Amino acid sequence: MANPAPYVGTTLHVHEARATVPVGFVNAGAAPLDKTLKLRFALTQSTPDAIVDALYKVSDPTSPEYGQHLSKSEVEELVAPSSAAVNAVNAWLKDNGLEGTTLSPAGDWIGFEIPVAKANSLFNANFSVFQHSSSGKQAVRTMSYSLPASLQGHVDLVHPTTSFPSPSSKAQIVGIKSAADPILAKRDLTQDCTGETLPECVQYLYDIPLTPATNSSNRLGVTGRTGNSAHFDYLHQFLTMFRPDADPTTNFTVVGIDGGTNPQDGPSVSEGELDIQYTVGIATNVPVTYYFSGEDFQDGDLEGLLDEANVILSEDNPPKVLTTSYGLPSETDMSFALTDKLCKAYAQMGARGISVLYASGDSGVGCPSDSNDLVFQATFPSNCPFVTSVGGTQSFPEEEAWIGSSGGFSNYYARPAYQEDAVNAFLAQLGDKNADATFNRTGRAFPDISAKADAYIIYAAGITGITGTSASSPVTASIIALLNDRLAVAGRPPLGFLNPWLYSEAGSAFKDIVSGNSSIRCDSDDPTPRGFDAAPGWDPVTGLGTPNFPKLLALLGL
C-alpha cells in the first residue's frame, strides 16, 4: 500500500530534518500504515527565557532574590504557552479528527495518537522502521517532517520524529559499572576502607554526621527505572549490617511513573539497591522517595526522564533534592531542541528550590562512533547548565580522580557565567595538552563536583561490590539533603539549584583533587588512552572537588 499524498489544503514548511541516519541504524523499510504513533507537540512558551532568568535570580547568592524560590503556580505561569499557541494546536487537532492530551503541568506538551498513514500525510513525512544493527533495537522515525503555516511559531517540535533512541537497552545506567571484591572483616577504617566503600567510609571522608534529620517535609528523591528495583528487605539487611546505630526498619516510599511499580519479586541488578541504600543509609532520617519509571514512556526517546520531571513539577510539595544515575553517553544522540526541553524542565525544578544532581558517567571523555574520531563526548543530561553533575574519585583516605569519571565540554550549551572563571583557569593550565583532541573550549563544562566512586558494598541477596559515579551522586545528594534539613530547622529555604553557589561561596568547602586522571581506550587501535588530568582548581574529571560537611555548614552559618 503506497503512502498517502501529502496533506492538501495548506502550505507545509519543513520544520526539522536530518541529512543522515545515525551511525549503526539502517532503514528496514516503511512503517505499517495502520500502526499507531504516540506523538506530542512541544508548544512554544510565551517567554522562553523567563524561567532561566527566574532561576538565576533565586539561585545566585549575590541576587537580592536569592532563596526566594517560586511556587508551583508561578513556575507554570512563566513556562505556559500563549493562548494563541494553545488555540492553534487545538484547532489543528480538531480539524484533523485528533484528540489531544495535556502531558505537563504547564500545558506546554500535548500528546496525541495518530496512524502512520495520517502522520505521513499531515506532516509530509515518511515514517519508517529503523533498526540498530548490533543491538537489534527498532524505532519508527522519519528523516524530516513539516508543519502547516497555522502551527509555525506555535510548535517548537513534534516528538518522536527525527531524534533516534540510544541503541543501548532501556534503563541504562550512565557508563559501565564494575564489581569489587568485598572485604568485610574490619573495623580499622584507615586500613579497611582502602579496599571497599561502606557508609562509615564516606561518613569519615566527608565528615557526614550520624545525627538524624528532623524535618519531615525535607524529602530526597531518587530516580529508579524498570529492571532496577530497590528491595525493602535488602535495605533492612544493609542497615542492620552497616548502620547499626540507625533504625533497621527505615523504609522509603515509591511513586510509580509510566507504569513503574518497583516490584519486589524480581532479581536485583544492583543500581536500585545502590541508590536507595546510599541515600537512606547516609541521609539519616531524611524521607526518601523512589520515583520509579516503567516502560510506558510518554516522552519517547527521553525514556521517562521528562515524564519524571513533569510528575515532580506537578507536586505541591516536591522533594528538595533529586539524584539520577541514568542518562546517555553522548548529548548528540538527540537533537538540541529535544534535549533542551528536558534541560528547561530542570530549570523549572531549580526555580522551585529543587537541587537536581546527575552522575556524570563512567566512560571518561567517551568514545565516538568513529574510532578514528578524537572528538570528546559530553554526556546527557550532565551537559545541561541547570543540573549539578557529579564526577568520581577513588582511594582512601587521600582521594584521587577515578579513571572512569566522565567530564568535558558540551557542544550544545555555551559555558554559563557562574563557571567562567573556574574553567578559564583550568584551560590556561591545560596549555597544549590534549592538542590532538577536539572539544568545545567555550562549552558548558562538567562535572561540577565529585565524590567517591569506587568499591561500594551493597546488599542484594548477598554482599556485592559496585563502582561508578552512580554511587557518587546519591552520596552527594544525601549531603545536600542533610544540609537542607538544618536549613529547614533554622527556618531558611533549601539550597535549590546549586551551581552558582558552588562556584562562588561554597567552593572553599570542597577538597581540591589534584592527582589522577580520566582515561579510556576506545579500541585496540587507540594509540594512547584519551582523557583529562585532575588539576588544581576546577577540572573536567573531579570538578571543584569533594564536599566537607562541617565546612559547608559553617558557610551557611549553621
Side-chain angles (χ1 to χ4, degrees), residues 17-34:
R18 59 182 310 141
T20 60
V21 176
V23 173
F25 280 94
V26 295
N27 190 331
L33 296 180
D34 59 353

mmCIF file of all heavy atoms in Angstrom, residues 17-34:
data_model
loop_
_atom_site.group_PDB
_atom_site.id
_atom_site.type_symbol
_atom_site.label_atom_id
_atom_site.label_comp_id
_atom_site.label_asym_id
_atom_site.label_seq_id
_atom_site.Cartn_x
_atom_site.Cartn_y
_atom_site.Cartn_z
ATOM 1 N N ALA A 17 14.750 18.328 10.057
ATOM 2 C CA ALA A 17 15.236 17.339 9.100
ATOM 3 C C ALA A 17 16.649 16.935 9.480
ATOM 4 O O ALA A 17 17.393 17.725 10.078
ATOM 5 C CB ALA A 17 15.212 17.900 7.670
ATOM 6 N N ARG A 18 16.992 15.712 9.167
ATOM 7 C CA ARG A 18 18.369 15.273 9.367
ATOM 8 C C ARG A 18 18.870 14.688 8.049
ATOM 9 O O ARG A 18 18.112 14.051 7.299
ATOM 10 C CB ARG A 18 18.475 14.265 10.500
ATOM 11 C CG ARG A 18 17.680 13.003 10.366
ATOM 12 C CD ARG A 18 17.852 12.111 11.613
ATOM 13 N NE ARG A 18 19.238 11.920 11.953
ATOM 14 C CZ ARG A 18 19.711 11.884 13.197
ATOM 15 N NH1 ARG A 18 18.890 12.021 14.222
ATOM 16 N NH2 ARG A 18 20.992 11.696 13.425
ATOM 17 N N ALA A 19 20.153 14.898 7.778
ATOM 18 C CA ALA A 19 20.714 14.513 6.486
ATOM 19 C C ALA A 19 21.038 13.029 6.417
ATOM 20 O O ALA A 19 20.949 12.415 5.348
ATOM 21 C CB ALA A 19 21.964 15.339 6.193
ATOM 22 N N THR A 20 21.440 12.449 7.545
ATOM 23 C CA THR A 20 21.882 11.057 7.534
ATOM 24 C C THR A 20 21.251 10.285 8.687
ATOM 25 O O THR A 20 20.861 10.853 9.710
ATOM 26 C CB THR A 20 23.415 10.961 7.659
ATOM 27 O OG1 THR A 20 23.832 11.574 8.887
ATOM 28 C CG2 THR A 20 24.106 11.662 6.497
ATOM 29 N N VAL A 21 21.186 8.983 8.505
ATOM 30 C CA VAL A 21 20.728 8.099 9.574
ATOM 31 C C VAL A 21 21.847 7.968 10.595
ATOM 32 O O VAL A 21 23.023 7.903 10.221
ATOM 33 C CB VAL A 21 20.376 6.708 8.990
ATOM 34 C CG1 VAL A 21 19.986 5.736 10.098
ATOM 35 C CG2 VAL A 21 19.260 6.843 7.973
ATOM 36 N N PRO A 22 21.543 7.965 11.903
ATOM 37 C CA PRO A 22 22.601 7.829 12.904
ATOM 38 C C PRO A 22 23.433 6.568 12.690
ATOM 39 O O PRO A 22 22.924 5.548 12.217
ATOM 40 C CB PRO A 22 21.830 7.751 14.224
ATOM 41 C CG PRO A 22 20.529 8.412 13.948
ATOM 42 C CD PRO A 22 20.218 8.114 12.521
ATOM 43 N N VAL A 23 24.703 6.645 13.030
ATOM 44 C CA VAL A 23 25.608 5.513 12.860
ATOM 45 C C VAL A 23 25.057 4.299 13.590
ATOM 46 O O VAL A 23 24.635 4.370 14.747
ATOM 47 C CB VAL A 23 27.005 5.865 13.397
ATOM 48 C CG1 VAL A 23 27.912 4.629 13.390
ATOM 49 C CG2 VAL A 23 27.626 6.984 12.583
ATOM 50 N N GLY A 24 25.029 3.177 12.901
ATOM 51 C CA GLY A 24 24.554 1.936 13.493
ATOM 52 C C GLY A 24 23.126 1.596 13.130
ATOM 53 O O GLY A 24 22.715 0.437 13.246
ATOM 54 N N PHE A 25 22.336 2.588 12.707
ATOM 55 C CA PHE A 25 20.949 2.345 12.325
ATOM 56 C C PHE A 25 20.848 2.157 10.811
ATOM 57 O O PHE A 25 21.576 2.798 10.041
ATOM 58 C CB PHE A 25 20.052 3.509 12.741
ATOM 59 C CG PHE A 25 19.652 3.490 14.191
ATOM 60 C CD1 PHE A 25 20.386 4.196 15.129
ATOM 61 C CD2 PHE A 25 18.548 2.766 14.615
ATOM 62 C CE1 PHE A 25 20.028 4.184 16.469
ATOM 63 C CE2 PHE A 25 18.175 2.747 15.940
ATOM 64 C CZ PHE A 25 18.912 3.461 16.884
ATOM 65 N N VAL A 26 19.921 1.286 10.379
ATOM 66 C CA VAL A 26 19.634 1.109 8.955
ATOM 67 C C VAL A 26 18.127 1.202 8.762
ATOM 68 O O VAL A 26 17.342 0.853 9.651
ATOM 69 C CB VAL A 26 20.154 -0.252 8.424
ATOM 70 C CG1 VAL A 26 21.663 -0.299 8.486
ATOM 71 C CG2 VAL A 26 19.544 -1.416 9.210
ATOM 72 N N ASN A 27 17.731 1.678 7.609
ATOM 73 C CA ASN A 27 16.318 1.784 7.264
ATOM 74 C C ASN A 27 15.826 0.415 6.812
ATOM 75 O O ASN A 27 16.253 -0.105 5.792
ATOM 76 C CB ASN A 27 16.112 2.821 6.155
ATOM 77 C CG ASN A 27 14.654 3.145 5.927
ATOM 78 O OD1 ASN A 27 13.772 2.325 6.150
ATOM 79 N ND2 ASN A 27 14.395 4.361 5.463
ATOM 80 N N ALA A 28 14.918 -0.162 7.623
ATOM 81 C CA ALA A 28 14.416 -1.501 7.328
ATOM 82 C C ALA A 28 13.137 -1.468 6.501
ATOM 83 O O ALA A 28 12.530 -2.510 6.253
ATOM 84 C CB ALA A 28 14.180 -2.265 8.632
ATOM 85 N N GLY A 29 12.691 -0.281 6.087
ATOM 86 C CA GLY A 29 11.507 -0.183 5.251
ATOM 87 C C GLY A 29 10.422 0.672 5.868
ATOM 88 O O GLY A 29 10.504 1.100 7.025
ATOM 89 N N ALA A 30 9.415 0.931 5.100
ATOM 90 C CA ALA A 30 8.321 1.789 5.542
ATOM 91 C C ALA A 30 7.594 1.179 6.731
ATOM 92 O O ALA A 30 7.431 -0.041 6.832
ATOM 93 C CB ALA A 30 7.343 2.021 4.394
ATOM 94 N N ALA A 31 7.166 2.039 7.638
ATOM 95 C CA ALA A 31 6.380 1.577 8.778
ATOM 96 C C ALA A 31 4.985 1.184 8.315
ATOM 97 O O ALA A 31 4.452 1.789 7.372
ATOM 98 C CB ALA A 31 6.294 2.677 9.828
ATOM 99 N N PRO A 32 4.368 0.177 8.940
ATOM 100 C CA PRO A 32 2.995 -0.193 8.575
ATOM 101 C C PRO A 32 2.067 1.010 8.680
ATOM 102 O O PRO A 32 2.074 1.724 9.687
ATOM 103 C CB PRO A 32 2.633 -1.261 9.611
ATOM 104 C CG PRO A 32 3.952 -1.833 10.052
ATOM 105 C CD PRO A 32 4.912 -0.686 10.006
ATOM 106 N N LEU A 33 1.279 1.240 7.646
ATOM 107 C CA LEU A 33 0.479 2.460 7.590
ATOM 108 C C LEU A 33 -0.610 2.509 8.658
ATOM 109 O O LEU A 33 -1.088 3.588 9.014
ATOM 110 C CB LEU A 33 -0.139 2.611 6.206
ATOM 111 C CG LEU A 33 0.867 2.792 5.057
ATOM 112 C CD1 LEU A 33 0.143 2.931 3.740
ATOM 113 C CD2 LEU A 33 1.770 3.993 5.310
ATOM 114 N N ASP A 34 -0.989 1.337 9.182
ATOM 115 C CA ASP A 34 -2.017 1.328 10.221
ATOM 116 C C ASP A 34 -1.447 1.326 11.631
ATOM 117 O O ASP A 34 -2.208 1.286 12.606
ATOM 118 C CB ASP A 34 -2.952 0.123 10.033
ATOM 119 C CG ASP A 34 -2.210 -1.211 10.088
ATOM 120 O OD1 ASP A 34 -0.962 -1.194 10.136
ATOM 121 O OD2 ASP A 34 -2.884 -2.263 10.075
#
